[in-house]
Amino acid sequence: MKKLIRRIIREYKSAKLLDKYILKQVVVMFIMGVLVFTSIIFASDTFITLIKQISKYGIPFKYAFIIIILHLPSVFVMTIPMGVLLATVMTLNGLSLSSEITVMRACGIGLNRIAKPIFAFAIVMSLVSFVVNETIVPVMMKMSTEMALIAFGQKHIPEGKQNFTFKEVQQGGKLKRLFYVGDCIDSTLHNITVLDASKEGTIQILQAREGKTSPVGWKFQKAVVYTISDSGKTLDTTLFNDSTVNFGMDLSKEMERNQASERNFLQLLKFIKKENKPELRIDLYDKMALPLTTIVLVLIGVPLAITPPRVRYNRGFLFSILIIFAYYLIRALSISFGEAGTLLPIFAAFMPNIILTVIGIGLYYRKVYTIC
């Protein structure tokens, strides 16, 4: 009886050592993978998109920098599945090349037991991804939207300055609009004159006592608009007390893109009841599908990482890139079909996971009964 207990304890300690050995390598590669993929996404997508918005809407740099930082959690959620996949493939591929997996299997340790700590890590990171996406991301994205609105509102408002002008120029250097403001107090513009030459054949002159900038245009109070032809003839005169004029600087459509990311699952579910759009329903199901992607990618990554004896080089990184490319290709297609109404929203969100799960189960089952 004592020998049996000692044997169980010894095997338990050996199993713990094996788990720690594999997990240590997985965690190191995961951190590296998240840093690499976060940098790639930031450089190729998020950063460039924000730079375009800065140049288009004239958002000050300090606000733009804060907006970039606020986007980090959403990028982190996207890179967790990539990082776990890279860690899985690189770790197992390295163990396979050094013949450690062959030795383990010769000692009776099957692939299921070798992959057990990796799947456990994937489940934990899937939960982390879900929690971050439900708690931190909505708050950060909402703050980002509010910051963009504030930045846009302060785009051309030098607080406390008097008698200042600024202009908009068309392509080729031709004057589009000329703005004159008497002074700015508490973010409110006074004694405003706008010369608008954007329409061919006419020039509009707007004069207002007060005004403010906003994402949907300029809000004027107690204003008059004169429409003058190129020959100098007054064509029309319009008086109004309150009006919003869009000078081609509408930011509201840009803000609508964050409707789903600014809400967690329950909040988005309530919002959909008021505004039922296919793309919002896809985003709703995607809040569940994206965290599960971590486990799905591990399922397909484990069998592909086990290198045949004749292969003597690490192909882990290449496999990771190919799998990620296939996943996002399928994801882009399924979401497009979902938005077009060809696929149901739930299938549009889960289709990449369904396809890769079927492929992963087939590869995994085949690899378990194959001697490396």
Side-chain angles (χ1 to χ4, degrees):
M1 186 66 179
K2 289 182 179 179
K3 291 183 177 179
L4 179 62
I5 294 173
R6 288 175 183 175
R7 181 181 177 184
I8 292 173
I9 293 173
R10 187 165 58 249
E11 289 180 356
Y12 176 74
K13 288 182 177 179
S14 299
K16 286 188 68 177
L17 286 174
L18 176 63
D19 291 343
K20 287 181 179 179
Y21 177 68
I22 295 175
L23 278 176
K24 184 178 179 181
Q25 298 182 59
V26 169
V27 170
V28 172
M29 292 304 303
F30 170 74
I31 295 173
M32 187 193 77
V34 167
L35 292 174
V36 169
F37 290 122
T38 299
S39 301
I40 292 172
I41 291 176
F42 238 71
S44 61
D45 183 21
T46 307
F47 189 76
I48 292 176
T49 300
L50 288 171
I51 290 298
K52 286 181 179 179
Q53 291 181 351
I54 291 167
S55 60
K56 182 178 181 180
Y57 299 112
I59 297 176
F61 178 78
K62 62 179 181 179
Y63 291 104
F65 180 76
I66 296 174
I67 291 171
I68 290 173
I69 298 301
L70 292 174
H71 275 75
L72 268 174
S74 61
V75 176
F76 176 67
V77 169
M78 292 179 60
T79 56
I80 284 178
M82 303 180 194
V84 173
L85 173 63
L86 180 67
T88 300
V89 177
M90 292 294 287
T91 299
L92 291 181
N93 208 181
L95 293 175
S96 181
L97 288 174
S98 60
S99 301
E100 291 180 71
I101 289 182
T102 303
V103 173
M104 291 179 193
R105 297 184 73 169
C107 295
I109 303 174
L111 182 60
N112 287 327
R113 182 63 190 84
I114 296 171
K116 182 180 177 180
I118 299 177
F119 277 107
F121 180 74
I123 292 171
V124 171
M125 294 314 301
S126 178
L127 293 174
V128 169
S129 175
F130 180 79
V131 171
V132 171
N133 202 32
E134 286 293 289
T135 57
I136 299 176
V137 171
V139 175
M140 292 295 188
M141 293 305 294
K142 192 170 184 178
M143 290 175 61
S144 173
T145 300
E146 292 174 353
M147 186 64 65
L149 293 174
I150 293 171
F152 184 80
Q154 295 185 1
K155 171 184 173 182
H156 292 309
I157 303 181
E159 187 70 32
K161 190 174 180 180
Q162 296 182 346
N163 300 319
F164 61 92
T165 61
F166 53 90
K167 62 182 179 180
E168 288 187 62
V169 181
Q170 298 178 353
Q171 291 183 354
K174 186 179 179 180
L175 179 67
K176 186 175 183 180
R177 295 183 187 93
L178 180 66
F179 298 81
Y180 166 82
V181 179
D183 58 54
C184 177
I185 301 173
D186 295 330
S187 300
T188 300
L189 309 174
H190 299 92
N191 300 324
I192 308 159
T193 300
V194 181
L195 176 65
D196 189 347
S198 59
K199 297 180 180 179
E200 292 186 9
T202 62
I203 296 175
Q204 285 189 325
I205 300 175
L206 182 148
Q207 291 181 319
R209 290 187 180 182
E210 291 184 359
K212 287 186 176 182
T213 58
S214 73
V216 294
W218 286 59
K219 296 182 178 180
F220 295 105
Q221 293 180 348
K222 298 178 181 179
V224 58
V225 177
Y226 304 99
T227 303
I228 303 172
S229 66
D230 288 343
S231 61
K233 182 180 179 180
T234 302
L235 302 177
D236 186 32
T237 301
T238 306
L239 299 171
F240 52 84
N241 289 325
D242 295 287
S243 180
T244 300
V245 181
N246 184 347
F247 291 119
M249 299 180 287
D250 190 353
L251 195 63
S252 57
K253 291 182 179 179
E254 294 292 326
M255 298 299 105
E256 289 180 0
R257 298 181 182 180
N258 295 333
Q259 286 180 341
S261 56
E262 290 178 10
R263 295 172 172 83
N264 59 31
F265 185 86
L266 294 177
Q267 291 171 342
L268 185 57
L269 187 61
K270 292 179 181 178
F271 183 73
I272 288 174
K273 292 179 181 179
K274 298 179 182 178
E275 194 169 339
N276 192 2
K277 296 180 180 179
E279 56 268 22
L280 290 178
R281 286 197 169 273
I282 294 173
D283 290 331
L284 177 71
Y285 295 120
D286 192 54
K287 288 182 179 291
M288 295 183 292
L290 187 59
L292 292 176
T293 302
T294 304
I295 303 172
V296 173
L297 291 181
V298 170
L299 180 63
I300 198 171
V302 168
L304 290 178
I306 308 300
T307 308
R310 63 181 179 276
V311 178
R312 304 310 303 169
Y313 62 91
N314 195 321
R315 56 186 185 179
F317 187 78
L318 177 61
F319 271 149
S320 301
I321 298 299
L322 291 176
I323 295 171
I324 291 170
F325 176 78
Y327 168 77
Y328 279 102
L329 178 62
I330 298 171
R331 177 185 168 88
L333 290 173
S334 64
I335 289 177
S336 297
F337 286 134
E339 291 177 347
T342 308
L343 279 177
L344 291 174
I346 189 169
F347 286 117
F350 280 95
M351 188 59 70
N353 289 354
I354 294 172
I355 293 174
L356 292 183
T357 298
V358 172
I359 296 173
I361 290 174
L363 292 173
Y364 193 89
Y365 180 82
R366 183 179 179 184
K367 185 63 68 171
V368 166
Y369 298 101
T370 302
I371 299 177
C372 294

